[in-house]
Structure formats: C-alpha cells, structure tokens
Amino acid sequence: MDTSDVAVGFLAVGELDTEERAALTWCRTEFDTKRIQLDAVSDGDALAGRDVIWWHANEPIATPRDVADCASVFQSFLDDGGGLLLSSRAVAQVSALGIDPVPPDATGTEPIDEPTGVLWKSVYSDHPILGELAGLRHHTQPAGKPAPYARYEDVLPERADVLAGTFRGDTDVPAELATLQWRVGDGTVVGMGQGMAFAGADAKDTEANRERIAKNALRFLAEDAGFALTSGRPVDAEGLDRHRRELADDFQRPRYHLSPPANWLNDPNGCLRWNDRYHVFYQYNPAGPHHDTIHWGHAVSEDLLHWEDKPVALSPTPSGPDRDGCWSGCAVDDDGTARIVYTGGRDRWQLPCLATAADDELSEWIPVDDNPVIEQPPAELDLLSTEHWHAEFRDHAIWETGGRWYQLVGGGLEDVGGTVILYESPDLRNWEYVGPVLVGDWETPGTVWECPELLDFGDSQLLHVSNYEEVLYFLGEFDADAGTFHERRRDTLDPGDFYAPQSLQDGDRTVTFGWIPEARGISRQWDAGWAGTLSIPRELSVEGGRLHQRPIREFTELRKRRLCEGRVGLDDETRRLDAAGRSIEIQATLEIDDASEIGFLVCATPDGAEQTKIRYDGESVTIDREDASLDPGANATPQSVGVEDLESPLDVRIFVDGSVVELFAGGRRALTGRIYPTRHDSTGVAAYASDGSGSVDATVWDMGGAWPAVTEPSARSKPKKSGITSPDGG
C-alpha cells in the first residue's frame, strides 16, 4: 500500500499547539490526512472513511470525560479493523478509551539530556514498524528541550504486548516501557509514549528514525496485515511457543533446562506434584529480559524431563496489595485444594498473599479478597529497612503437621544479619507470629535471608536460605514446639551460579530446582531476548549426616545418542575426544597419578580461542572460564567446589547445555556455571592432564531437548579422532 493511499484521521482536542501542528504538517506530507476534533467523534461518523486514527497529544488532557464519551465509537472503529496510533501523552488515555484497564503509571514532562528513543525487543525484531531500520536501538529525539512522556515503569498494561523499552544515549533502560501494541477486535492500537517530538531543532539521524518509525506505524496500522503478536496477557501457550521458536537458533540458549519462552526468569515458585503432573512456576517478567513487574510463569511436565509452556498463572492486581509484583512463594495441597502463598509488593511493603487455584490444571490463581493474610511484619523484630522496602520481609515456605500450618518468611535484622521467621496458623488465613527460628548473627549487617525452605529427612532437617550471594544450608533439628532450629552443620548448597532453590515432594524423594542467573550484562540479555534458566532437577538426601545432591535418576532418559566412551591415559597432554556439541552430558571417572590437575575442555574451538576448562586437582573441581568466551561482557571468574573429602578417583557428571555447565561430583557436591561461547565452532570436547600423568574413563552423550513442541536446531561440528572410541566405530 502506497502511503498516499492511506487515509489518516489526525485527532485534535481543541486548538493544536506548536508540537501537535508540526506533527499534523508532517503527516500531510506523507498521507491523505484529515483533521478530526475529539468533540465530533461521539456523533459516530467522524471516523468514517479513515484507515487509521493518529492521536498525538503534547499536553495533558483537561477533559478526560470527553475521551470516555468517545470510547464506544473507537471500540466500533477498532472492532471493524481500524488502526489507532497513540503518541506522547495520548498513551495515557488507554483506560479512558476502554483499551486497557491499567493506564501508564508514569506521565509528565522530562528533560532530554541525551538522545532518546526505542530499545526494541528482539522477539519482535521483524515487526513492520522497524522496516528499513537495522538493529534494536534507535534514537528518535535529540538532546535539548524537555519533552512529554507516558509510559509504564512499576506496573504493566493488562492487555498489551510490550514492543520496546527506552534507549538513552548509549544506555539501555528496559524498565521504561513506552512502545506497546494492543489487539482490539479486528483492529490494532500502537502506543508510543515518548521520543515522538516533531517541532523544534532536530538532528538528522533522530529525525530520520522518528519519521521512519511514525510512517511505518501508520502504514502498518492501516494495512493491519495480522502481524503475529501474542494478544494480551496472560499470554496463551501458542504465543509462548511462538516466542520459544523465535529464539531457537540461539546456541547460547539451554535446550534441556527449564527456561522461559522469552523474557525474564528468576526464582522457581510453587513447585508441586498435582494430579500426577509436575508443576513449576517461576518469577517471570513478560515485558522483557530484565527483573521488573514480576508475574508467575508456569511450566508443566509428566516426567520432569519434557516440559510444556502454560499461560502466565498469576499477575499483579492493579488495585491489590500485589500491584507492584507477585514475588516468590510456594504451593500446598490444602485437603484437595491447591493454594499458593506469595509475596505481594506495593508502596514499599512486602506482605504474604494467599490465592486459590481456579481449576485442576492450576492455570490461574484467584487471590483471596482479604489479602494480605499477614497485615504487617512483626513489630517485635527490628527488621532491616532499605530505600526500596519499609521492612525486608518476603518469600515463603509452608507445610502442615498435626492439623497446624507453619510458615517460614525470610528477612533481615538491623545491625545483625539474615533471619528466618516462623508463623503458625489453623487455616492458612489467620497467622500467629512465633519468632525467629534462626538468626545469622555471624554475618555482616545488611544481609537478608531470602527464599527459606525447610526439608525433612527423618533424623534431621535441612534449612536453606539465599543471602544475595549464595545458598547457605543448615543441617540440624527443627523444634516446632519451641519454634527454633538447632544447627549441627552448615555449608553452601552450590557455590556457583545457583540461587533461590525450591523443592517438591515426589513420593519418597525430594526434588529441587534452583535459579541459574545470567553472568552477562543487561544489554546482552536484551539482545538475546531471554534471561535466566532453572537447574536440572536434583534429588536431595541426607546420608550418614551428610547432604547428597544428584541429578534425578530418570535424567538419563534424555540421552539421545552415545557419542564416545572409553578410558584414555594422559601424560601432560590434551586429546580431542570423538564427540562435540553444546547439549551434552559427560559421565566420567577422573584419576590423578602424578599430574597437578586433570579434566576436560568443553565448548572448545579447534584453535582454542574459546574453551571452558573443567579441572580437578585432588582438592577441588573448578569451572575455569578464563577462555570460555570472546565476549568481554561475560563473567570470566573461575568457580570451584571442594571435593577433598570425597573418594578418589573422583566420579563426575557434567552437563553442558548452551551457556550452562552443571557439575555433580561424587554424588554429593554440585557446581553450576554460566559460559557464553560466541563462535559456531565452539563445540569441541577434549580431555587433558597437566604436569604429569592421569586418566579419564568417560562416556559422552548427545542430549535431547526439554521442549518437544519446539524444533531445535543442531549446532554440531565434525568430531575429531581421539583415544576414546566412538560407539559407531569412528
């Protein structure tokens, strides 16, 4: 469609100011444009014959009732396939127009100290609005005079797809969401709440970008070619699968770990076996791959191996105590009814909220009317206060014993450190404060113990907490009557990139998932379109007074093909193995004779420019990331776990999956690391020994994927010969 054939209705409210007149003048040079007064819209015929309506508001709307009076006319226009572009302050009118019940929470006028524009989401990089523009970052407004804005910052629209964050100077600001898209009937609405000033001095590049984006947007809305966006939230499974397919070519993205379809993932929540299916919820931001506006994502499995995306299960309530986010919590079976307790955030308060499953699929949770179920933190404790929260008081673990419910809440005490706080209830609604069960007075002040969980292993109990840096666990005895935990042993659950674990009971075993955060910058995450993954499910047990961690026993069923197996002796050398890949498992026995260390190279290029070294020196196993990535933004710090008290030779299982390395040693210790190989030939596997001799007895498997509904590409390089034979005789 030629732009001269596009009929645009330029909406005006009273007299146009200088900025609005400049936008109208530009529009007339590109499109068949008719000026339409707002007070004429309610008559019903003013929009007739127009393909798209553009409302460019530079000033606040003084008569919001007049806007609401026109809502039904706009609704009919959109139902019939019309398009609507809202720019600058007009985006603030989405609620009055009936487009979205949640309007932008940030509106006003701000100084523009550096060029500003759109930070486009990678999953929508092929959107027609970006036509003829390369990349995701485009300045549309030069530095200079103040400009109006209307955007979402602490809340999200209920029905929109977020297209872009904000790009200021050279800085990504993903939490400033000003570019959005709504589907209304057969029509489409696009909102561009900042960076759209047409009057005044301009720069050549910002002017060209802004005019290209505005032109593309109006043409797109007029054509409405049905560009495939998910429509609203909670997003459906089909839309989530589409996101997942968009990202399937990213070889840094894990294939057999539970990862988000796109955008952001952190803590596992509400892990529960229900009606013979495993449900894992997780902290999810549908707006982009950054931590903000937290919802609960949802994945379901019948075997803990293969997963299916489900719609977002829990969203903030615009008028509720969880308006600013639905944060970490847990799920319980309350006499046949599934319930969750989670942290709701609003106005610098974090308080426990209760919700009940709306169906047996656990696809939606309905918050109770009288949330929060604990109205304030315990006054008896001097809880840590920060610039973000009146009291650091969040994250929940709940269980039932003898007809009574018990709840642990994480927190921090002023001038002391982390703590875990105990409550008791007869019914999940009325909670009585008991007291701290454990206080970290041996820590530095300012620490908060997040995501507490108490696990019962019969003769002993395990309490773990996450303290911003690592997951601490304590073995001992929990005394419910006294409300205390008697510690006998403490250690770190996984000293690598592993945080905020949560468990589910599966018969006689305890299965745990942890969050594997990113070890790269926010701009890399944004470009990738996703951030965060969960660990492979682990079985935890206490044997002989010691904690044991292992991959769940059935994880061997994900092995697709044995790439190589056998024993090879090494004498101060490196040998390529007859195996390659980015989604593999290595099961091996490492024996040091007189070498200083022995181990493997994974995700290695033929020239060694990129390679991750996994080394064993008799006392520790280390993921050495010094050469893991040519990306200067990737964390290259080595990560180690002590194994000096484990049997030698040492048995290890190493899981390499895109940018994740997960290692288990001796059936007891675990270590997780993030790596980001950049080259397509970073797929090689080798064994090595340094400064002496040793041997490895290893089998390497190619692993299947966790998402059967998504066709995943194979990124394998041709394996080289080694001393270990291939089962195919290579």
Side-chain angles (χ1 to χ4, degrees):
M1 182 185 291
D2 186 83
T3 57
S4 62
D5 296 328
V6 175
V8 176
F10 190 90
L11 192 66
V13 182
E15 292 299 318
L16 299 179
D17 66 11
T18 301
E19 166 57 32
E20 294 163 349
R21 190 175 298 110
L24 174 59
T25 300
W26 171 83
C27 191
R28 284 173 168 161
T29 66
E30 299 288 343
F31 301 94
D32 170 15
T33 305
K34 175 184 176 181
R35 177 174 166 178
I36 299 172
Q37 289 297 131
L38 178 68
D39 57 13
V41 171
S42 59
D43 295 337
D45 296 328
L47 307 186
R50 299 292 98 183
D51 300 309
V52 56
I53 304 301
W54 181 15
W55 188 3
H56 181 69
N58 188 54
E59 297 294 336
I61 307 303
T63 55
R65 183 178 294 276
D66 292 345
V67 179
D69 289 344
C70 300
S72 61
V73 178
F74 278 101
Q75 183 72 52
S76 296
F77 177 74
L78 292 166
D79 284 343
D80 291 339
L84 175 62
L85 175 62
L86 304 172
S87 55
S88 296
R89 286 184 181 269
V91 179
Q93 300 306 309
V94 292
S95 180
L97 289 170
I99 295 167
D100 200 299
V102 183
D105 61 310
T107 60
T109 300
E110 63 186 358
I112 305 298
D113 298 325
E114 50 191 346
T116 299
V118 294
L119 174 66
W120 209 266
K121 290 180 69 172
S122 62
V123 288
Y124 298 141
S125 60
D126 58 344
H127 197 292
I129 291 178
L130 282 192
E132 300 182 37
L133 293 173
L136 303 175
R137 296 164 176 82
H138 303 284
H139 291 137
T140 58
Q141 188 165 328
K145 66 177 184 178
Y149 66 93
R151 58 183 179 247
Y152 294 85
E153 294 184 0
D154 295 326
V155 301
L156 283 184
E158 184 175 306
R159 301 170 183 166
D161 291 280
V162 175
L163 300 183
T166 298
F167 183 47
R168 296 184 183 276
D170 296 325
T171 302
D172 294 349
V173 190
E176 292 183 0
L177 308 172
T179 307
L180 310 108
Q181 179 169 320
W182 291 263
R183 189 70 174 173
V184 182
D186 290 331
T188 299
V189 180
V190 167
M192 295 182 173
Q194 64 185 29
M196 298 299 288
F198 287 80
D202 214 333
K204 186 176 181 180
D205 59 339
T206 56
E207 180 180 27
N209 289 343
R210 181 182 63 255
E211 293 185 358
R212 170 54 55 190
I213 286 174
K215 185 176 180 178
N216 287 346
L218 289 166
R219 183 166 54 187
F220 160 65
L221 289 167
E223 294 176 344
D224 192 14
F227 183 75
L229 286 183
T230 56
S231 63
R233 294 195 327 274
V235 267
D236 58 22
E238 180 182 355
L240 295 172
D241 282 345
R242 187 159 55 241
H243 275 338
R244 196 172 288 282
R245 292 176 190 279
E246 287 285 331
L247 300 173
D249 289 332
D250 182 353
F251 60 72
Q252 294 181 343
R253 186 160 158 83
R255 307 296 181 202
Y256 57 82
H257 284 73
L258 198 166
S259 55
N263 304 314
W264 170 271
L265 170 152
N266 62 294
D267 308 357
N269 293 155
C271 299
L272 184 69
R273 184 173 182 181
W274 182 262
N275 289 344
D276 295 324
R277 304 187 81 191
Y278 299 97
H279 295 260
V280 172
F281 303 88
Y282 51 86
Q283 299 279 273
Y284 178 62
N285 179 13
H290 60 288
H291 185 263
D292 198 21
T293 56
I294 291 298
H295 297 53
W296 276 31
H298 185 196
V300 175
S301 174
E302 294 183 354
D303 57 7
L304 289 172
L305 305 176
H306 303 95
W307 295 89
E308 177 185 356
D309 288 311
K310 292 295 184 181
V312 172
L314 183 66
S315 300
T317 308
S319 59
D322 59 0
R323 182 197 65 185
D324 298 341
C326 300
W327 290 307
S328 288
C330 63
V332 296
D333 181 348
D334 180 15
D335 195 23
T337 299
R339 304 190 196 279
I340 57 172
V341 174
Y342 64 97
T343 298
R346 180 167 184 158
D347 299 332
R348 294 188 65 211
W349 287 108
Q350 307 171 96
L351 296 169
C353 295
L354 176 68
T356 301
D359 54 58
D360 277 344
E361 299 298 316
L362 309 188
S363 60
E364 183 181 1
W365 299 87
I366 308 300
V368 300
D369 292 336
D370 52 350
N371 274 330
V373 291
I374 297 176
E375 295 185 353
Q376 61 182 9
E380 297 89 333
L381 295 180
D382 187 15
L383 289 173
L384 180 68
S385 177
T386 65
E387 61 176 311
H388 300 294
W389 303 110
H390 290 298
E392 296 285 352
F393 177 75
R394 60 179 173 271
D395 308 336
H396 315 277
I398 292 181
W399 70 98
E400 186 269 339
T401 301
R404 299 288 293 177
W405 291 97
Y406 296 89
Q407 175 179 183
L408 298 181
V409 184
L413 300 179
E414 289 280 5
D415 301 322
V416 178
T419 187
V420 177
I421 303 163
L422 179 65
Y423 282 81
E424 188 177 350
S425 170
D427 58 7
L428 291 173
R429 287 175 178 263
N430 300 287
W431 292 94
E432 179 183 352
Y433 169 69
V434 177
V437 300
L438 193 64
V439 175
D441 55 0
W442 46 275
E443 281 197 296
T444 55
T447 297
V448 177
W449 280 357
E450 301 183 292
C451 303
E453 185 174 60
L454 183 70
L455 302 173
D456 187 7
F457 293 102
D459 293 338
S460 62
Q461 286 77 52
L462 182 148
L463 174 65
H464 69 72
V465 297
S466 298
N467 68 354
Y468 295 151
E469 300 293 333
E470 59 188 352
V471 183
L472 304 172
Y473 75 85
F474 310 92
L475 278 175
E477 292 79 32
F478 172 70
D479 186 335
D481 294 332
T484 57
F485 185 89
H486 302 286
E487 172 198 342
R488 286 189 284 104
R489 180 186 300 276
R490 72 170 67 134
D491 208 336
T492 301
L493 199 64
D494 181 327
D497 295 316
F498 182 89
Y499 198 75
Q502 190 175 112
S503 307
L504 61 84
Q505 287 305 125
D506 185 27
D508 61 353
R509 66 175 176 172
T510 300
V511 177
T512 293
F513 296 85
W515 169 38
I516 303 177
E518 296 298 316
R520 57 182 173 176
I522 184 63
S523 293
R524 296 290 194 273
Q525 296 170 195
W526 186 271
D527 291 347
W530 62 277
T533 187
L534 296 187
S535 67
I536 63 175
R538 306 177 178 187
E539 291 186 25
L540 299 186
S541 62
V542 175
E543 304 169 24
R546 303 279 184 171
L547 177 65
H548 289 245
Q549 301 183 68
R550 306 177 180 91
I552 58 169
R553 62 201 75 160
E554 57 266 47
F555 216 73
T556 56
E557 297 173 22
L558 270 185
R559 296 169 178 170
K560 286 173 54 179
R561 182 168 62 98
R562 193 169 67 248
L563 300 176
C564 65
E565 65 178 341
R567 181 183 181 278
V568 60
L570 300 161
D571 187 9
D572 195 21
E573 62 182 314
T574 298
R575 287 200 206 176
R576 299 281 292 203
L577 306 187
D578 196 10
R582 293 191 179 89
S583 294
I584 61 173
E585 178 194 350
I586 303 172
Q587 186 169 22
T589 299
L590 304 176
E591 184 169 6
I592 293 179
D593 293 334
D594 59 358
S596 61
E597 64 183 49
I598 193 169
F600 294 97
L601 305 177
V602 298
C603 295
T605 57
D607 61 2
E610 284 188 328
Q611 58 185 21
T612 298
K613 181 180 288 186
I614 299 170
R615 49 186 169 88
Y616 167 53
D617 61 8
E619 295 185 354
S620 62
V621 178
T622 299
I623 301 174
D624 187 337
R625 303 185 290 184
E626 181 178 3
D627 299 314
S629 177
L630 294 174
D631 180 354
N635 192 329
T637 304
Q639 299 164 299
S640 298
V641 61
V643 295
E644 67 277 0
D645 58 333
L646 303 186
E647 290 186 7
S648 181
L650 182 68
D651 293 329
V652 296
R653 291 179 70 182
I654 303 166
F655 296 88
V656 178
D657 191 16
S659 54
V660 174
V661 176
E662 236 178 312
L663 182 148
F664 297 85
R668 285 177 51 189
R669 305 282 158 70
L671 179 66
T672 304
R674 296 305 298 269
I675 61 173
Y676 300 96
T678 63
R679 286 176 37 172
H680 284 274
D681 58 350
S682 296
T683 60
V685 182
Y688 82 96
S690 295
D691 302 322
S693 61
S695 65
V696 299
D697 190 353
T699 306
V700 183
W701 282 274
D702 179 26
M703 299 291 281
W707 307 93
V710 178
T711 302
E712 299 180 88
S714 176
R716 308 257 189 265
S717 62
K718 184 178 180 180
K720 296 186 177 183
K721 299 293 182 182
S722 73
I724 295 182
T725 60
S726 163
D728 300 322

